[in-house]
Amino acid sequence: MQAIKRFTKDSIEQLRLEIADAGGNEIFVLGYLDEKGLVEKLAVMARGDENPAPAVSKKLETADVFIRNHPSGFLTPSDDDLALAARVAEAGAGCFIIDNDVEKVYVAAEPVKKRVMQKLNADMIIAALEQGGAIAKRLPEYESRQSQLNLMRLIIRGFNEDALVAAEAGTGVGKSFAYLLPALSYAIVNDERIVISTATITLQQQLYEKDIPLVVSAMKKKVKVVLMKGRGNYLCLRRLEEAVREQSFLDDAEYAGLKAILAWSETTATGSRSDLAFMPVEGLWSRVCSEADACMGIRCLERERCFVLSLRRECADARILVVNHHLLFADLAARHEGAGYNGMVVLPPYSRVILDEAHTVEAAATSFFSKGFSRLGIYQQLGRLYRKRRENRLGLLIRLMPPFTEEKSINELEYAFQKVRELADTLDQAGLELCKNDGVFRLTPSREVVIQGILIPPLTAFRGGLAALINRVRQIVDAVPDQGETGTEVMVWEVRSILRRLDTVGNVCASFIEFKERVTEVIWIERRFGGNGGNWAAFTVTPIDIALPLKDALFAPNKTVICVSATLTVKGSFAYWKSRSGLGLVGDRDVFTGQFPSPFPYASAVLLAIPQDAPLPDQGNYRAFVDRAAVTLALSAGGSALILFTSYDALRSAYNAAFPILHEQGIRCLKQGDDDRSRLLQAFLQDEKSVLFATDSFWEGIDAPGNTLRIVILCRLPFKAPNEPVFEARCETIEKQGGNSFMELSLPESVMKFKQGFGRLMRRSGDHGVVAVLDGRILHKRYGEYFLRSLPKTKTNFSNFETILQETGRFLSP
């Protein structure tokens, strides 16, 4: 075929020049078609002996044709050509072979004609939501808000123009509605899949169970929506059967829980843990839940009843997937590492994503890409292989061993397991020793002497002992005869999955030993506490830079990414969030940003109270001032207070000072740590006179409208502790690059969290209350303006504390 029938004249000339530049050798090119179906634009991916596969895998989703030349002039495709043509055809692209003069072309695979995208009519959608509009009339509680309509217009533009969007929507704007209607509309008219990702499973369920059905019913159009959680949230029937086989060796609580899960497994339609009517005892769910590396796939006898497989089938033709950030990152990471963007990986393929609560993206990605282990985790994995309860020997290995295995061999195996447990204990004690002063310890070259003296010997011994045990267990498994017995095959599969996890632990140990060479990672230890008062050391490896992986995996390959949150800006600028999330590294795409203020009447309904005479945190009287101020402010409000701290020490001090005073007045005191988060929050919501003392996680995600919460007390500006390992390493990186870590990281991160804390007060338009800040730095340090200018306009009182106390009482009085 003549090349002119497939290429424009300009593209032919460009190909000739590229081939000449390559000395007449092979080149590998991606082509893009014009409206007539001719190759118009080109992108050279590799030349000569370079392997084009990696570049093709990442870019083929956006190209129409893969092009290569045959310098010999013979265009008949080779076996390699046909294999490559089949690969690109799976992506819907074509494959062309040309001669060096670009006069002839052999079409090894025709490109699939791309559908013309149907753009959304912004005016029509927005008109339907305005007062009296078609959809507004179907929603009895809906009230039109201009900021919401403006946000919706920006999101529609993001879809229509294949753009990236970052939008800050204040409390009450209705951001969920603003992105759901365009997303559902786009999915329907273009038959495309859209992924909506939230920060937590709780938010996932709110969207799936409440918000999306409301929008779908108002639209009066059908669209398939599926809620998808990480597979660890779903029951594995095969693993449940394995647990039942060992039920006679469980204690009473475990036996009762397993019996209840077994009964539930016969009635549940989803197998989702959230559907359980009770909380399983610690460790029990992890023995029966689905795990990727323990999944037997097509070999599993429970495949037809598998909850995860059923969910994947449901997702295959869904047009809206509701996931959480952790699950999304698992999928993005696999695709970016070579799984490609066209098939099912963790999620089915997609090219448009909405990130709700996008301010958490960096933290969520940091958590996902971190690797680590602890003594408790080691115990759990070893216990699944071999354990002894009273005189009973249990575990997968015991069941895999031949019936007449010598007692000596079993005793030797038992000793090997016990030895690794002892080595894990010794390593744990070394980790706790290093953490005894600050609760954390980061491995750095300046601490090499103490690291070599305290940590490396037990770490090396543990790694060696673990490796020896892994090899011994592999020998046992390799010796198991392949007799086609399903039960045996299942146990072998399970053992191998445990060994892979233990291999990962060994790799983390290697990172610790090689800490001086691991310049792109943070190697650190943290002391953690259990509910029974015990503690243990967590050994973690965390990447310093998350922005580049996010840019490459999230923003670059997807056509549209919509990022929304109530807190994305500092002093009106998106610069900080863009730099941390990777969006700021995208240079060749349209990026639209917008701020959409809350419609709530902050100017009349909220008093921002900051005592002029509040001491600075480094002054000796600061703790006593906070303890006194917190309780007197709570009393002036008659309870209904959320008091937020940045450390547990400060929380305990204020709580101990306040409890007898508030208790005497009939005001219930609740303290983080006394119960799990959900029950603590429920107790607070049910008692309008209660006071909740809380720290870190309660600065966001709390919705307590009305008289339940009338005063929020922010005791200290939420700067991260300078010795927090990941934060410290990221600050050092900024300084090494010539930047200012305080202005570029510490301050903006604190402002973002401060805005979240402030946002706990106003949750409905009729709410009314006080936000008190007890940190004198906000008024007396130059950077205080960053915090103040990032808040909506409110009533203010920056006088002395006694005056503020009186004003608070007057402001809150009916």
Side-chain angles (χ1 to χ4, degrees), residues 462-589:
F462 169 72
R463 184 190 179 201
L466 182 65
L469 180 63
I470 290 171
N471 289 335
R472 184 166 190 152
V473 173
R474 281 206 172 100
Q475 291 173 3
I476 294 173
V477 174
D478 291 344
V480 174
D482 184 9
Q483 298 176 343
E485 296 179 10
T486 303
T488 300
E489 183 185 27
V490 167
M491 287 187 288
V492 168
W493 194 280
E494 189 87 5
V495 170
R496 293 194 188 282
S497 73
I498 294 170
L499 292 181
R500 284 192 291 270
R501 291 173 198 171
L502 294 176
D503 280 333
T504 300
V505 171
N507 293 336
V508 173
C509 290
S511 295
F512 270 77
I513 294 170
E514 302 162 1
F515 72 94
K516 289 193 293 184
E517 287 77 43
R518 302 279 181 161
V519 294
T520 62
E521 296 172 324
V522 190
I523 316 294
W524 57 293
I525 309 169
E526 180 184 24
R527 182 177 65 231
R528 295 184 181 172
F529 298 92
N532 58 0
N535 56 31
W536 67 90
F539 298 79
T540 308
V541 178
T542 300
I544 293 176
D545 180 38
I546 288 296
L548 186 59
L550 281 174
K551 174 252 184 184
D552 290 340
L554 173 63
F555 294 112
N558 287 298
K559 294 177 182 177
T560 300
V561 182
I562 309 290
C563 303
V564 293
S565 171
T567 51
L568 291 183
T569 67
V570 175
K571 231 170 68 169
S573 170
F574 286 89
Y576 166 72
W577 181 81
K578 289 170 68 176
S579 72
R580 305 307 305 175
S581 67
L583 184 57
L585 299 177
V586 179
D588 57 349
R589 298 277 305 276

Side-chain angles (χ1 to χ4, degrees), residues 393-418:
R393 290 182 169 123
L394 311 169
L396 294 165
L397 291 182
I398 294 298
R399 293 165 59 193
L400 283 174
M401 284 181 168
F404 302 105
T405 301
E406 292 183 1
E407 184 71 15
K408 179 183 177 182
S409 297
I410 298 177
N411 288 336
E412 288 175 352
L413 181 67
E414 182 178 324
Y415 174 78
F417 271 85
Q418 185 58 33

Side-chain angles (χ1 to χ4, degrees), residues 201 204-205 208 226-240 261 264 268-276 285-292 305-312 315 322-324 327:
I201 291 176
Q204 270 185 273
Q205 290 182 256
Y208 181 74
V226 173
L227 171 69
M228 196 171 188
K229 294 176 271 192
R231 66 187 305 150
N233 289 281
Y234 298 96
L235 179 69
C236 173
L237 295 170
R238 177 186 65 77
R239 299 189 74 212
L240 175 63
I261 291 175
W264 170 73
T268 177
T270 66
S272 174
R273 182 179 183 177
S274 62
D275 293 345
L276 270 174
W285 182 258
S286 65
R287 292 181 60 184
V288 299
C289 70
S290 178
E291 295 178 337
R305 297 201 300 149
C306 176
F307 295 115
V308 171
L309 188 58
S310 175
L311 180 65
R312 288 166 71 95
C315 289
V322 183
V323 305
N324 58 58
L327 188 63

Side-chain angles (χ1 to χ4, degrees), residues 110-176:
E110 287 283 1
V112 175
K113 187 176 180 180
K114 291 188 175 180
R115 293 182 292 108
V116 178
M117 183 187 74
Q118 186 174 335
K119 293 187 176 183
L120 299 177
N121 187 321
D123 291 335
M124 185 179 297
I125 293 174
I126 290 171
L129 281 171
E130 290 174 335
Q131 201 67 37
I135 292 180
K137 284 194 283 189
R138 298 191 194 119
L139 302 174
E141 297 182 5
Y142 178 78
E143 57 182 66
S144 181
R145 305 160 189 166
Q146 190 56 49
S147 53
Q148 183 186 56
L149 302 181
N150 293 341
L151 171 60
M152 194 177 299
R153 189 176 291 277
L154 180 68
I155 291 171
I156 291 170
R157 187 182 176 197
F159 278 110
N160 285 345
E161 300 183 32
D162 291 348
L164 308 174
V165 174
E168 181 178 78
T171 307
V173 166
K175 57 184 172 63
S176 299

Side-chain angles (χ1 to χ4, degrees), residues 54 65 178 202 216 219 290 368 394 427 462 521 545 558 624 704 781:
V65 184
T202 301
V216 170
M219 293 175 68
S290 178
F368 176 79
L394 311 169
L427 176 59
F462 169 72
E521 296 172 324
D545 180 38
N558 287 298
K781 296 291 186 179

Side-chain angles (χ1 to χ4, degrees), residues 585-647:
L585 299 177
V586 179
D588 57 349
R589 298 277 305 276
D590 288 331
V591 179
F592 304 144
T593 61
Q595 283 183 275
F596 304 90
S598 170
F600 291 169
Y602 283 92
S604 60
V606 175
L607 171 66
L608 177 63
I610 308 175
Q612 182 73 29
D613 53 350
L616 304 184
D618 58 359
Q619 293 178 320
N621 60 339
Y622 173 72
R623 174 69 63 85
F625 170 78
V626 169
D627 290 352
R628 179 177 65 89
V631 67
T632 50
L633 284 168
L635 278 173
S636 71
S640 307
L642 172 64
I643 309 177
L644 294 172
F645 302 84
T646 58
S647 75

